[in-house]
């Protein structure tokens, strides 16, 4: 039995060493998940390089076509998508991938791969052209079909509680990789001169309470009454509003400082805007591992079984007591 304390390594440890040390602590681990995390980190470094050059190279702006959800793809969306898929396919541990930028699931051809990955290759794409933080979000499951057979949709159709790992890359004032394998959350900062991610935020814990909220308040009049009431209370209590418009960046700030992120249903998006499989599940796993909470207003996010690839879900995520408060308000509505 591995104790949680066994997973705490000193700040300054390089990601590779951190991953190897943790693998040794799983008695039957064969190293595939470790390698998969390394593949993601490598693709993250490449995407980071492209993002840093975005202002110089002619790679920003619209790519001229739309993804399945009718949103305009940015060139960097496409680049990030290609890079991550290539890294995961070449790594060999993954038999299937679903991506925000792909209409259907991708069979990598690696039938021996034990894992499937759901990914938002570039989150916050409206911020690319304006030099504001963006990210990548990923979620990893063990396949449910036998190894050696082609990947199926059922391999992906799993409760969020079944994730073996999830995480994100944040391309911000510095680049970070934050992930969990279900034994707490650790954050690594990229050191470009070494080309290494270094453990900078060990065993991250989200403050239980805070005075900061993140929501696109331009949609206020479209929000359910209970959400408006919650936001009114935030203002009466003089909370700070902090909204970047990149989920990863907003979530990361709340993870460090405390706060709540809300993307409620609106008239335009009655199911919410964010995607269950490669946004909400991944971040909900991290939030819970850091002592926070995530709900769609009725259910714990991790207890939702996806019914389709690009399913959307309302999302209230962040500091435990703040999420509980909005859940209580929304629950009252159900009872009336
Ligand atoms: P993506 O760029 O992957 O499509 O995700 C955008 C999401 C999320 O990052 C962000 O929090 C939200 O959209 C912002 O939506 P609004 O512009 O409606 O506020
Ligand atoms: Mn996104
Ligand atoms: Mn995206």
């Amino acid at each position: 039995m591995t104790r949680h304390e066994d997973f705490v390594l000193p700040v300054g440890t390089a990601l590779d060493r951190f991953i190897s040390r943790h693998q040794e602590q799983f008695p039957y681990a064969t190293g595939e998940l470790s390698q998969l995390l390394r593949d993601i980190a490598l693709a993250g470094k490449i995407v980071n390089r492209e993002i840093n050059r975005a202002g110089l190279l002619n790679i920003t702006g619209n790519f001229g076509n739309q993804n399945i959800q009718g949103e305009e793809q940015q060139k960097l969306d496409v680049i990030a998508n290609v890079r991550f898929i290539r890294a995961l396919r070449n790594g060999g541990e993954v038999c299937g991938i679903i991506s925000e930028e792909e209409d259907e699931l991708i069979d990598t051809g690696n039938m021996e791969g034990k894992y499937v990955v759901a990914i938002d290759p570039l989150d916050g794409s409206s911020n690319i052209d304006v030099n504001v933080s963006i990210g990548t979000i990923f979620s990893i499951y063990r396949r449910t079909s036998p190894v050696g057979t082609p990947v199926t949709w059922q391999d992906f159709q799993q409760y969020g509680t079944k994730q073996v790992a999830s995480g994100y890359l944040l391309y911000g004032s510095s680049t970070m990789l934050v992930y969990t394998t279900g034994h707490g959350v650790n954050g690594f900062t990229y050191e470009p001169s070494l080309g290494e991610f270094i453990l900078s935020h060990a065993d991250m814990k989200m403050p239980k309470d805070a005075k900061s909220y993140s929501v696109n308040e331009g949609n206020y009049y479209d929000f359910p009454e209970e959400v408006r009431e919650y936001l009114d209370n935030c203002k009466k209590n003089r909370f700070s509003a902090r909204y970047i418009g990149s989920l990863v960046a907003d979530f990361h700030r709340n993870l460090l400082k405390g706060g709540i992120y809300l993307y409620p249903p609106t008239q335009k998006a009655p199911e919410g805007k964010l995607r269950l499989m490669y946004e909400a599940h991944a971040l909900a796993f991290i939030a819970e591992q850091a002592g926070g909470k995530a709900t769609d207003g009725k259910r714990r996010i991790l207890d939702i079984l996806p019914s389709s690839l690009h399913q959307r879900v309302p999302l209230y995520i962040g500091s435990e007591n703040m999420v509980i408060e909005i859940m209580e308000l929304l629950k009252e509505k159900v009872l009336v």
Side-chain angles (χ1 to χ4, degrees), residues 183-196:
H183 299 276
V185 180
N186 289 287
F188 299 80
T189 302
Y190 186 56
E191 163 52 86
S193 66
L194 299 175
E196 293 257 32

Side-chain angles (χ1 to χ4, degrees), residues 77 100-101 120 122-123:
D77 281 332
E100 184 192 359
E101 303 303 332
D120 178 356
L122 213 133
D123 174 67

Side-chain angles (χ1 to χ4, degrees), residues 71 100 120 122-126 216 219 243 245-248 250 261 263 273-275 279:
E71 297 156 344
E100 184 192 359
D120 178 356
L122 213 133
D123 174 67
S125 32
S126 68
N216 185 343
N219 296 325
Y243 191 68
S246 295
L247 174 61
V248 168
D250 282 306
Y261 176 97
Y263 212 109
K273 179 184 181 192
L274 300 172
R275 279 54 60 110
E279 291 180 320

Side-chain angles (χ1 to χ4, degrees), residues 216-276:
N216 185 343
E217 227 168 351
N219 296 325
Y220 179 87
Y221 291 108
D222 287 340
F223 290 156
E225 201 185 315
E226 297 71 21
V227 175
R228 280 186 276 156
E229 188 185 328
Y230 181 81
L231 296 175
D232 292 345
N233 287 337
C234 289
K235 282 187 270 223
K236 278 179 203 148
N237 289 306
R238 305 295 188 271
F239 284 13
S240 289
R242 290 285 182 274
Y243 191 68
I244 296 164
S246 295
L247 174 61
V248 168
D250 282 306
F251 176 82
H252 184 72
R253 187 200 47 247
N254 291 339
L255 176 60
L256 294 179
K257 306 264 186 200
I260 184 170
Y261 176 97
L262 311 90
Y263 212 109
T266 60
Q267 279 158 17
K268 198 172 127 204
E271 303 301 321
K273 179 184 181 192
L274 300 172
R275 279 54 60 110
L276 175 63

Side-chain angles (χ1 to χ4, degrees), residues 3-16:
R3 289 171 306 124
H4 178 67
E5 298 79 68
D6 295 335
F7 287 83
V8 180
L9 277 176
V11 160
T13 306
L15 175 67
D16 216 43

Side-chain angles (χ1 to χ4, degrees), residues 154-170:
Q154 279 68 39
D155 290 319
F156 290 94
Q157 200 177 26
Q158 301 195 48
Y159 290 103
T161 48
K162 295 283 182 193
Q163 289 172 101
V164 294
S166 78
Y168 58 84
L169 285 126
L170 170 64

Side-chain angles (χ1 to χ4, degrees), residues 27-239:
Y28 303 108
T30 51
E32 281 125 313
L33 179 62
S34 301
Q35 192 50 45
L36 172 46
L37 290 167
R38 290 190 188 98
D39 296 342
I40 289 175
L42 175 62
K45 288 181 199 175
I46 296 169
V47 170
N48 177 58
R49 187 187 64 194
E50 307 289 357
I51 288 168
N52 285 333
R53 294 197 305 207
L56 296 170
L57 298 178
N58 184 27
I59 55 170
T60 54
N62 294 340
F63 201 52
N65 56 13
Q66 294 191 332
N67 67 14
I68 193 175
Q69 291 147 90
E71 297 156 344
E72 286 194 330
Q73 282 181 312
Q74 306 279 319
K75 278 188 178 178
L76 267 172
D77 281 332
V78 178
I79 291 167
N81 189 43
V82 168
R83 293 297 191 181
F84 277 101
I85 289 173
R86 195 181 291 166
L88 294 172
R89 185 178 271 141
N90 291 346
E93 301 85 19
V94 171
C95 60
I97 304 164
I98 63 169
S99 160
E100 184 192 359
E101 303 303 332
E102 301 282 338
D103 298 357
E104 306 290 341
L105 77 86
I106 301 164
D107 182 339
T108 61
N110 303 320
M111 287 200 291
E112 299 303 318
K114 285 186 194 153
Y115 296 98
V116 294
V117 172
I119 192 157
D120 178 356
L122 213 133
D123 174 67
S125 32
S126 68
N127 281 326
I128 296 172
D129 283 350
V130 291
N131 211 348
V132 172
S133 299
I134 49 185
T136 296
I137 313 174
F138 61 91
S139 165
I140 304 174
Y141 292 85
R142 268 187 102 91
R143 69 186 299 175
T144 51
S145 60
V147 170
T149 61
V151 65
T152 65
W153 157 242
Q154 279 68 39
D155 290 319
F156 290 94
Q157 200 177 26
Q158 301 195 48
Y159 290 103
T161 48
K162 295 283 182 193
Q163 289 172 101
V164 294
S166 78
Y168 58 84
L169 285 126
L170 170 64
Y171 313 101
S173 47
S174 57
T175 294
M176 282 194 73
L177 169 65
V178 175
Y179 78 92
T180 182
T181 53
H183 299 276
V185 180
N186 289 287
F188 299 80
T189 302
Y190 186 56
E191 163 52 86
S193 66
L194 299 175
E196 293 257 32
F197 284 100
I198 308 286
L199 181 63
S200 51
H201 297 65
D203 199 18
M204 299 168 88
K205 292 288 173 226
M206 196 177 244
K208 297 279 174 208
D209 250 314
K211 295 188 124 209
S212 166
Y213 67 104
S214 319
V215 65
N216 185 343
E217 227 168 351
N219 296 325
Y220 179 87
Y221 291 108
D222 287 340
F223 290 156
E225 201 185 315
E226 297 71 21
V227 175
R228 280 186 276 156
E229 188 185 328
Y230 181 81
L231 296 175
D232 292 345
N233 287 337
C234 289
K235 282 187 270 223
K236 278 179 203 148
N237 289 306
R238 305 295 188 271
F239 284 13

